[in-house]
Amino acid sequence: MIPRMPSETMSLLRDLLRKRVQRWLVLVFFWLGVGVLSALHWQLFFVGTDPYSLWQLYRIKIVLWYVWGAVTPVILWLGWRFPIDESKALRHVLILIPISVGFTLAYLAIYSLLLIVNVPDAPGLFQAPKAMYLWVIGTHSTWYFLAFWATIGVEHAVSYYRRFHERQLLMSRLEAQL
């Protein structure tokens, strides 16, 4: 979903893809691709260590990345709302750190629930929600914490690019006037 939140990245996406249907298709296929790549990675590097069938693995990973995609606009908004620039960098980082930890833990709770719901007949961790949540935190928290901060980084990169481009445009106009 692309809400009308102020975010440089969301504005860029709206500028590049004027039609809402185009934006939705790009996002649907982007997150589908990320989900498939994530499942492929899991399939290649953790062969024989998981209780999923191939269908369950792909379904779980794709759904999880769609959930991440659904909350990405909120992360982008946080990056826009708390820019890490020269004047307030430390203050905004100190605000974003607990938000990122809470966000990651909440997402991993959803992750755990999706695993439990999608693999109900699996033994062990999948039958104990608390144990599953602790296992998911232990195995995935770093990735999603870093994904949160990478998303913040994307928002900042787009913001810096747009400001740089605006300055270049202004300079060329001033040169033309001179």
Side-chain angles (χ1 to χ4, degrees), residues 83-100:
I84 302 172
D85 56 14
E86 304 85 35
S87 63
K88 297 179 183 177
L90 181 60
R91 180 174 180 244
H92 287 176
V93 166
L94 292 175
I95 291 170
L96 286 170
I97 286 175
I99 291 172
S100 64

Side-chain angles (χ1 to χ4, degrees), residues 8-9 72 75-80 82-84 96 145-161 163:
E8 295 289 340
T9 307
T72 296
I75 302 171
L76 292 171
W77 177 81
L78 288 166
W80 172 84
F82 301 105
I84 302 172
L96 286 170
F145 181 79
L146 291 175
F148 179 97
W149 283 96
T151 306
I152 295 287
V154 166
E155 176 65 18
H156 283 80
V158 170
S159 177
Y160 289 133
Y161 170 77
R163 282 189 274 165

Side-chain angles (χ1 to χ4, degrees), residues 23-150:
R23 289 192 300 262
W24 276 102
L25 286 174
V26 165
L27 291 174
V28 163
F29 284 107
F30 175 79
W31 291 113
L32 174 66
V34 172
V36 168
L37 288 175
S38 178
L40 183 61
H41 170 263
W42 191 270
Q43 184 182 359
L44 291 173
F45 292 101
F46 299 101
V47 174
T49 62
D50 61 354
Y52 317 115
S53 70
L54 194 59
W55 165 245
Q56 287 171 326
L57 174 64
Y58 278 83
R59 185 181 67 215
I60 289 166
K61 290 296 187 175
I62 289 168
V63 168
L64 284 168
W65 282 105
Y66 275 134
V67 171
W68 187 264
V71 298
T72 296
V74 175
I75 302 171
L76 292 171
W77 177 81
L78 288 166
W80 172 84
R81 173 65 183 86
F82 301 105
I84 302 172
D85 56 14
E86 304 85 35
S87 63
K88 297 179 183 177
L90 181 60
R91 180 174 180 244
H92 287 176
V93 166
L94 292 175
I95 291 170
L96 286 170
I97 286 175
I99 291 172
S100 64
V101 170
F103 196 94
T104 302
L105 292 175
Y107 178 77
L108 293 177
I110 294 167
Y111 193 114
S112 301
L113 289 173
L114 283 170
L115 287 178
I116 291 168
V117 167
N118 282 289
V119 193
D121 56 341
L125 290 174
F126 292 83
Q127 295 173 345
K130 182 179 178 183
M132 171 57 84
Y133 183 57
L134 293 174
W135 178 78
V136 167
I137 287 173
T139 57
H140 295 15
S141 59
T142 303
W143 293 108
Y144 290 99
F145 181 79
L146 291 175
F148 179 97
W149 283 96

